[in-house]
Amino acid sequence: MRTRVPFVDACDSTGVKCWNNPHLNFNCQLSTNLRCVDYEPCDAGVTMRVFYPTSTTPSTLSALRPANVPHWKYYYGMLVFQFNVQRANALVRFVVVCACRLGWLVMRFIATINATMNAPLVADDGEKLNVIVFSHGLSGFRTCNANVACELAARGCVVFCVEHRDGSATASASSGENRSVQYQLYKPTGGTHESRRVQTTVRVTETLTCAKCVDDLDSGDLVSRNIWRGGGGHAQGVLDSFNGRLNVDSKTLCGFSFGGGSSCATTAQAPTVFARCVLLDHWLEYFNDDDILTAACSMPTLSLLSENWGSSKLAVNNTTMLTANTRTFYKVTINGAKHHDFSDVRAFLGLARNVIGMVGVVNIHAMHAVVAKITVDFSRNASNVQVSRDDAQHSIGRVIAQ
């Protein structure tokens, strides 16, 4: 049992730096077909996009694939987050709404997810599929990290991407009457750390609810509905195909940015629900409770960081989290990557991504493929029983060297 394994601090010697090469292609186009379904368990108070492998061939036409941004209101929510446009006068809001509608109609055919909605799970080969519960970052949403989720699903995982309703998502969807969809926009809080701690409490509950829903989905005990209007009654048949197919006893929790911070809090509150944790540029700056930090991530944990992220945003609290001597913690730093390279910002914001910044020079498809490969290798080799340091380090190191 070790406090910390400083796994890849010197990226130059591992080949990770070659991600700066735009021509690098690390197995980005896998042959596995992918599907996804929007899933809202009745009365559970949580919505998620589920990505999974299927034997059904998806459409080659991007217009028939799901949009990276589910609805124009998500673009509007991004502007609420960035500029609080809700406080503008009626004329300005009208112009912004029109711009968001038009922008979404254009990007809906440009930024799409390499999967299609609603198809049965891949045929049963006798082996249960690994489960990953994914928590998005601040001003994210359930498809904000869709490319990473697709790469994970292409490697045999079922990924449940939670869309948080704590007010931190640009928009969050829920079922209305007559198969309608209701959207809650981002709630400006002034960006105080206190508000983030309150939101984290909600996020922890939603993450644990999602984990329970995964168990129920595997056992066939959960009645569900599909919030996606085009899904109709097909979702029930899709979700029924998950019955008995999921490895619910060895779930992985994965969180990006704010979702990484709330994932740490989740593992502190419920240390036995997940077998391992994967953190993508986890944000811990808002924490003020050392008890949570020292209790967090007691299971094997993999931390994937963009260049220089850990040097300022989480240094103090991260050190506190790593003080417990029962912790096995693997760290991989990605040269040339910036914070939002873990998400799909480059795809669905186009040139507007320069407004929010934190976008690096790496080949995004190659980076997401390697992130997924490392995560899957870690998930298959690290269990709640203490993982062998040498075995895990060799496995992850082999992926990076490749």
Side-chain angles (χ1 to χ4, degrees):
M1 310 276 285
R2 294 182 180 271
T3 302
R4 175 174 179 266
V5 180
F7 178 57
V8 184
D9 289 319
C11 295
D12 289 358
S13 63
T14 67
V16 178
K17 191 174 182 180
C18 71
W19 287 354
N20 292 339
N21 181 350
H23 302 295
L24 174 66
N25 181 13
F26 182 88
N27 198 21
C28 304
Q29 303 297 326
L30 297 180
S31 59
T32 305
N33 296 320
L34 305 176
R35 295 282 169 158
C36 52
V37 61
D38 279 328
Y39 176 41
E40 183 185 25
C42 286
D43 303 319
V46 64
T47 299
M48 61 199 88
R49 173 70 61 91
V50 187
F51 295 87
Y52 55 94
T54 180
S55 55
T56 305
T57 304
S59 172
T60 57
L61 297 175
S62 62
L64 299 180
R65 296 199 294 259
N68 214 150
V69 177
H71 192 270
W72 68 265
K73 288 185 178 178
Y74 288 80
Y75 279 117
Y76 187 81
M78 294 176 202
L79 294 176
V80 173
F81 170 70
Q82 287 287 339
F83 308 110
N84 199 3
V85 295
Q86 289 286 70
R87 299 182 61 180
N89 61 49
L91 178 60
V92 171
R93 293 200 306 272
F94 174 76
V95 172
V96 171
V97 166
C98 291
C100 289
R101 285 176 177 269
L102 178 61
W104 182 80
L105 285 173
V106 173
M107 296 303 293
R108 188 261 168 275
F109 298 103
I110 298 175
T112 59
I113 298 172
N114 190 27
T116 49
M117 301 291 291
N118 297 334
L121 193 61
V122 69
D124 190 355
D125 62 358
E127 184 176 349
K128 292 201 172 187
L129 299 168
N130 288 330
V131 172
I132 297 177
V133 174
F134 195 102
S135 176
H136 64 73
L138 182 62
S139 76
F141 44 95
R142 66 186 185 277
T143 54
C144 191
N145 302 86
N147 197 44
V148 169
C150 284
E151 291 288 352
L152 290 167
R155 289 165 173 80
C157 298
V158 180
V159 187
F160 294 80
C161 295
V162 181
E163 186 163 83
H164 293 290
R165 299 180 182 177
D166 60 335
S168 68
T170 57
S172 55
S174 59
S175 293
E177 296 181 356
N178 300 320
R179 287 172 51 193
S180 64
V181 181
Q182 299 174 337
Y183 296 96
Q184 171 188 293
L185 294 176
Y186 175 85
K187 294 181 179 178
T189 62
T192 65
H193 286 179
E194 174 60 29
S195 65
R196 301 307 177 214
R197 289 191 287 271
V198 172
Q199 289 172 330
T200 293
T201 302
V202 178
R203 280 170 163 254
V204 169
T205 300
E206 292 174 333
T207 302
L208 293 176
T209 298
C210 178
K212 176 62 167 60
C213 290
V214 171
D215 294 340
D216 292 340
L217 189 60
D218 181 70
S219 65
D221 293 338
L222 198 62
V223 177
S224 58
R225 57 179 177 252
N226 184 13
I227 68 166
W228 183 63
R229 291 185 181 185
H234 300 300
Q236 185 64 55
V238 171
L239 295 167
D240 286 343
S241 68
F242 287 80
N243 193 345
R245 300 289 311 282
L246 305 177
N247 187 6
V248 295
D249 295 327
S250 187
K251 293 187 283 288
T252 299
L253 177 59
C254 184
F256 166 60
S257 191
F258 189 25
S262 62
S263 293
C264 291
T266 301
T267 61
Q269 180 173 317
T272 61
V273 172
F274 296 95
R276 64 200 66 81
C277 186
V278 177
L279 305 173
L280 309 179
D281 266 6
H282 52 301
W283 179 49
L284 301 179
E285 189 179 15
Y286 65 95
F287 276 105
N288 65 349
D289 189 335
D290 286 354
D291 290 339
I292 293 178
L293 290 168
T294 54
C297 301
S298 58
M299 69 283 290
T301 300
L302 171 65
S303 172
L304 299 174
L305 299 175
S306 60
E307 188 174 358
N308 297 325
W309 177 257
S311 62
S312 59
K313 293 293 183 183
L314 51 83
V316 175
N317 281 342
N318 200 54
T319 300
T320 302
M321 188 178 73
L322 294 176
T323 55
N325 59 13
T326 58
R327 186 164 287 111
T328 300
F329 197 91
Y330 301 89
K331 173 186 172 184
V332 178
T333 301
I334 305 170
N335 268 11
K338 299 300 180 185
H339 187 59
H340 284 296
D341 289 335
F342 285 109
S343 72
D344 293 354
V345 159
R346 287 199 204 179
F348 62 73
L349 283 187
L351 294 177
R353 65 180 180 268
N354 296 323
V355 175
I356 63 172
M358 292 192 288
V359 176
V361 297
V362 294
N363 180 312
I364 285 297
H365 295 292
M367 174 177 167
H368 291 173
V370 179
V371 166
K373 176 60 176 165
I374 295 174
T375 299
V376 169
D377 251 40
F378 180 73
S379 298
R380 290 172 177 168
N381 287 283
S383 65
N384 224 351
V385 179
Q386 184 60 42
V387 65
S388 163
R389 173 190 176 186
D390 292 338
D391 289 349
Q393 183 164 337
H394 175 73
S395 176
I396 300 172
R398 184 179 65 251
V399 174
I400 295 175
Q402 185 178 357

